Amino acid sequence: MHDFVVVGCGPAGARFARSAAERGHDVLVLEQGEVGEPLACSGHVSLDIWDYVPDGAREELFQNAIRGARFHLGGADSTAHEFYREGPISNAIDRVGLDRTLAEAAAEAGADVRDHHTVTAVDERQGGVTVTARGPDGTERHEARMVVGADGPRSRVRDECGLPEPDEFLHGVLGFDEAPDAQDFVDVHLTVPRFFAWRIPRGDAGVEYGLAVSPGEDERARFEALCEDYGVTLDRRCSGLIPVGPPKRVTGRRSLLVGDAAAQTKPFTGGGILYGMRAADHAAREVDPDAPGTLGDYERSWRDELRTEQRLGHLVRAGYSVPEPLQRAGLRAFSGEIGVHMDEPSTLFSREQLRALLGR
């Protein structure tokens, strides 16, 4: 019997598998397709990402250094308000390569990572779980003390174990232009209802365009308008759901959720790579597969770390929808050099940010 069966090998699942295996647990990871495919997530991340990958991986994954953002209340040619630092704030990275690097690190730590395994059922019982999967050689059944749902916004584990859904789902669209662009500013357009659109230069890898909208909005039409505004035609694109707002419970009798399955994301950008991996570390540290009561320790610990950032993130997102005169006034007031961390809205109130404001 395995200690954990992890369903999904994105950043959160791979990070949990690696951390749990390093603690001596027997970990099996089942990924539906090939690790990293299909791409459905932006590759724009904070510099903290390098704390989670093995030494030497940065050279292969790094694409471009970003030190600022231009915020627009109109199209590509509209007046922009710039926010920046002297050095890099974030990086554009190889997003598919990140998943594969993290999966390899989990395997090297001792986890059994298997791709092309589609989980079809999870039977959660008093003494353990049975995970049924369809693999290359037919149907398989795996016994474990606990199951970890790291299988994205439409989590099979969440549904099978009767856990509640996130508060909200957004629809995201990404497209890629292969023309190299090494600019060190991203463009953000506050023109999408209740969210935004973006343009991210990725060095020799090209440019990423994207946006996210609430259900009921026509994301395809809005994305075509964004591309037309920038004068690009994109053949390579993808889409996916973005969960926002964690449910009140992400654990069951013998189950737990991490990453997008638990909506451990930033409400103001939809990104969840760092939040999901931080939560995965909490899970690996707190949960004893032989003691279901420790699932409550995981619930408390990850929420204690992320609660404030997620609450403040909701306030930041609310600013996307205030009347345009208020948006303009706010952007003018805060534009210039900044001292904030892109994953931590609490740094809006940090000493570094205060010094940046006073130094203008």
Side-chain angles (χ1 to χ4, degrees), residues 168 170-171 189-197 211-219 222 317 320-321 327:
E168 177 187 8
L170 301 175
H171 294 269
H189 295 268
L190 301 180
T191 51
V192 176
R194 300 185 61 205
F195 217 69
F196 62 90
L211 57 78
V213 298
S214 298
E217 296 285 343
D218 189 341
E219 68 271 18
R222 289 189 176 277
R317 182 183 169 193
Y320 303 162
S321 301
Q327 288 181 326

Side-chain angles (χ1 to χ4, degrees), residues 288-299:
D288 179 349
D290 291 312
T294 59
L295 290 166
D297 298 329
Y298 163 58
E299 286 272 23

Side-chain angles (χ1 to χ4, degrees), residues 4-353:
F4 298 100
V5 170
V6 181
V7 182
C9 199
R15 181 66 183 185
F16 175 86
R18 176 184 179 183
S19 297
E22 288 174 342
R23 287 170 166 80
H25 294 302
D26 182 309
V27 183
L28 171 65
V29 185
L30 302 177
E31 169 61 31
Q32 182 173 3
E34 288 190 30
V35 173
E37 301 283 356
L39 175 65
C41 178
S42 175
H44 180 220
V45 296
S46 72
L47 304 181
D48 289 354
I49 193 69
W50 306 120
D51 295 335
Y52 291 83
V53 302
D55 293 340
R58 185 183 186 279
E59 184 176 345
E60 293 184 5
L61 298 176
F62 173 84
Q63 292 178 335
N64 195 25
I66 305 297
R67 70 179 188 91
R70 293 182 288 257
F71 280 77
H72 305 259
L73 296 177
D77 296 327
S78 64
T79 300
H81 299 270
E82 294 189 349
F83 297 77
Y84 59 87
R85 298 181 73 162
E86 289 303 316
I89 298 175
S90 57
N91 287 166
I93 65 168
D94 177 352
R95 184 63 183 80
V96 172
L98 175 67
D99 280 13
R100 292 174 177 168
T101 297
L102 295 172
E104 289 169 2
E108 290 174 1
D112 181 359
V113 180
R114 304 182 189 180
D115 56 10
H116 297 288
H117 280 71
T118 300
V119 170
T120 57
V122 178
D123 179 19
E124 186 180 22
R125 307 180 306 280
Q126 185 72 22
V129 293
T130 301
V131 178
T132 304
R134 186 173 60 253
D137 298 321
T139 299
E140 304 173 359
R141 289 178 176 80
H142 301 281
E143 301 296 328
R145 292 174 175 82
M146 289 193 180
V147 62
V148 179
D151 47 344
R154 291 299 190 200
S155 170
R156 167 74 73 170
V157 173
R158 188 179 64 223
D159 291 345
E160 290 285 307
C161 295
L163 296 172
E165 288 195 341
D167 292 342
E168 177 187 8
F169 291 103
L170 301 175
H171 294 269
V173 183
L174 295 177
F176 302 91
D177 180 8
E178 296 183 357
D181 189 334
Q183 293 183 69
D184 54 5
F185 273 68
V186 302
D187 288 278
V188 178
H189 295 268
L190 301 180
T191 51
V192 176
R194 300 185 61 205
F195 217 69
F196 62 90
W198 62 86
R199 180 186 187 276
I200 301 170
R202 301 166 64 226
D204 290 340
V207 181
E208 173 190 314
Y209 295 85
L211 57 78
V213 298
S214 298
E217 296 285 343
D218 189 341
E219 68 271 18
R220 295 179 183 273
R222 289 189 176 277
F223 188 74
E224 291 296 342
L226 174 70
C227 295
E228 183 177 347
D229 190 32
Y230 275 99
V232 294
T233 301
L234 306 181
D235 295 326
R236 195 161 70 93
R237 61 180 66 184
C238 57
S239 62
L241 291 178
I242 300 171
V244 177
K248 293 182 179 180
R249 181 167 56 92
V250 299
T251 57
R253 288 180 296 172
R254 289 274 178 173
S255 57
L256 64 139
L257 307 176
V258 294
D260 281 5
Q264 291 160 339
T265 61
K266 296 180 288 185
F268 57 105
T269 70
I273 297 174
L274 263 296
Y275 282 15
M277 289 197 291
R278 289 175 182 174
D281 278 350
H282 282 282
R285 182 176 61 250
E286 300 291 346
V287 176
D288 179 349
D290 291 312
T294 59
L295 290 166
D297 298 329
Y298 163 58
E299 286 272 23
R300 287 185 291 272
S301 64
W302 82 262
R303 292 181 194 274
D304 284 347
E305 177 172 351
L306 297 181
R307 181 182 294 110
T308 297
E309 304 300 345
Q310 288 187 312
R311 286 177 176 173
L312 290 174
H314 279 290
L315 293 177
V316 172
R317 182 183 169 193
Y320 303 162
S321 301
V322 300
E324 187 172 314
L326 291 179
Q327 288 181 326
R328 291 190 183 280
L331 290 173
R332 282 197 300 268
F334 288 96
S335 62
E337 188 172 0
I338 57 174
V340 300
H341 188 292
M342 68 173 284
D343 288 322
E344 300 171 3
S346 60
T347 56
L348 288 167
F349 311 100
S350 66
R351 291 181 179 178
E352 187 176 2
Q353 175 62 8

